[in-house]
Amino acid sequence: MFEKGLVDIIGDSLTSIPLEAIPELEKKWKISREPTPTTMIIAFNTDKAPFCHPKIRRAFSLSLNRQQLVDNIVYQASSIATNMIPPLLKQNRNRSFFKDNDVSQAKILLEEAMTEMRITKEAFEPVVLYYQALSSTTSKIMQAIQQQWLEALGIFIKIESLDYRVIVDKLTHGDYFMCYTLWSAMYHDPMSILERFKYKTYAKNFTNWENAEYIQLLDRSFYEQGETRFRTLEEAEELFLKDMPLIPLYHVDFVYIINPRLNIPLWGDRLLLPMSSKI
């Protein structure tokens, strides 16, 4: 319909662009991007061994090659997530809290943790990574992550696609080891993400993670303003990613195409269009 001129704007958050069609579309049209406050993640159930140990969680996170995923599979992302808060919500947008694809450090952490827990790699045999297969791309991402863990850590993690309702039920009841999911900020502030993990009893805290120092930092931020407050929230973010109750993967973009014959007002280089519009 777009190519025939029946539709003048396609893409998020209006319609979906089929990923397999993008290479051909790029030859004819300018594809635009806008950052969103959404991040794709892999959540751990921190109450379940072996992911009750932070070194295990960090090993699985550091061993991933996010850049490879973004460059070769994930078209909806332009930036990897080596932080917790989407850059759109941060003042210091480029700060990373860990190194992507740090395989050597990941191997060290894994060996230390297995020694401390007195386990072997056989402890990972029951582990399944759940995901919702929204498209063939999602399955490719899961297969790539599975292969990266096997090559970096020598651990084969089973993957399984489930219906959305089943995934929500498993997350809610803690009936999982790992799950590929996302978060989106509900308001324009880092606290929209950070507050979800303040207490393990919170409905959105599927990881069951809780940390007394993290709670104190969030509480302190309530009495601060401006730069002081943002530094406190960044300190909380750093603490969170040191414990790594989940794996940030990449920040999601809106991807869209506009027929150049349209005269649509822009603010700077951004399209002024209500996010709820349908075309």
Side-chain angles (χ1 to χ4, degrees):
M1 292 178 68
F2 181 81
E3 291 184 310
K4 290 179 179 179
L6 301 176
V7 173
D8 289 317
I9 303 176
I10 58 173
D12 292 324
S13 64
L14 308 169
T15 58
S16 296
I17 300 177
L19 296 180
E20 61 273 12
I22 287 175
E24 287 301 316
L25 290 171
E26 281 186 307
K27 298 176 182 178
K28 305 175 185 178
W29 311 93
K30 177 185 175 182
I31 296 182
S32 301
R33 293 176 174 272
E34 293 292 341
T36 75
T38 300
T39 304
M40 300 306 300
I41 64 173
I42 294 176
F44 292 113
N45 183 349
T46 61
D47 282 343
K48 273 197 173 184
F51 298 115
C52 54
H53 199 304
K55 288 184 180 179
I56 295 284
R57 302 193 296 263
R58 284 187 63 82
F60 272 75
S61 178
L62 297 181
S63 61
L64 289 180
N65 190 333
R66 296 161 179 77
Q67 195 62 55
Q68 186 181 76
L69 297 178
V70 169
D71 291 344
N72 300 314
I73 304 176
V74 186
Y75 191 82
Q76 302 98 319
S78 58
S79 61
I80 63 174
T82 51
N83 41 35
M84 179 183 180
I85 307 301
L88 191 64
L89 306 181
K90 299 182 66 173
Q91 290 186 333
N92 185 4
R93 296 189 175 188
N94 297 321
R95 181 173 179 188
S96 296
F97 292 92
F98 58 90
K99 182 181 176 183
D100 183 41
N101 196 216
D102 191 354
V103 175
S104 59
Q105 181 63 20
K107 288 181 177 178
I108 292 172
L109 290 169
L110 179 64
E111 292 298 325
E112 288 179 354
M114 288 195 302
T115 299
E116 293 167 11
M117 297 178 73
R118 297 181 180 180
I119 62 173
T120 66
K121 290 182 179 179
E122 292 179 355
F124 296 93
E125 291 180 359
V127 174
V128 179
L129 170 59
Y130 295 124
Y131 69 99
Q132 181 188 10
L134 297 173
S135 67
S136 60
T137 301
T138 309
S139 298
K140 291 178 181 178
I141 294 169
M142 295 298 97
Q143 292 165 11
I145 288 174
Q146 182 186 55
Q147 187 62 30
Q148 288 182 5
W149 279 333
L150 181 60
E151 293 176 357
L153 303 177
I155 296 175
F156 179 79
I157 298 296
K158 295 182 286 292
I159 57 176
E160 183 178 346
S161 172
L162 297 176
D163 179 77
Y164 174 73
R165 291 184 179 181
V166 178
I167 287 179
V168 171
D169 184 70
K170 285 186 172 294
L171 289 171
T172 303
H173 293 93
D175 182 24
Y176 78 103
F177 286 95
M178 289 192 290
C179 186
Y180 176 73
T181 182
L182 60 82
W183 63 42
S184 292
M186 303 306 294
Y187 54 92
H188 196 88
D189 190 273
M191 189 62 83
S192 181
I193 304 297
L194 296 170
E195 67 176 352
R196 303 176 187 209
F197 304 95
K198 187 174 183 181
Y199 299 110
K200 64 190 307 180
T201 55
Y202 280 3
K204 291 185 179 181
N205 187 2
F206 301 128
T207 67
N208 299 314
W209 177 84
E210 187 174 297
N211 182 287
E213 186 179 352
Y214 183 83
I215 294 171
Q216 291 173 0
L217 287 169
L218 296 191
D219 286 344
R220 192 177 82 194
S221 73
F222 295 150
Y223 302 95
E224 299 173 335
Q225 294 181 352
E227 289 289 339
T228 302
R229 176 177 178 270
F230 277 108
R231 283 196 299 270
T232 297
L233 295 181
E234 196 169 78
E235 190 177 342
E237 180 181 6
E238 184 173 16
L239 174 63
F240 181 91
L241 291 174
K242 182 179 180 182
D243 258 16
M244 203 72 75
L246 53 80
I247 300 175
L249 293 172
Y250 56 88
H251 303 299
V252 178
D253 293 338
F254 281 141
V255 181
Y256 60 93
I257 309 175
I258 303 176
N259 191 319
R261 71 179 180 83
L262 294 185
N263 183 22
I264 294 182
L266 300 174
W267 180 263
D269 60 351
R270 296 193 172 187
L271 172 67
L272 291 184
L273 194 68
M275 299 312 295
S276 60
S277 298
K278 299 294 181 184
I279 293 182

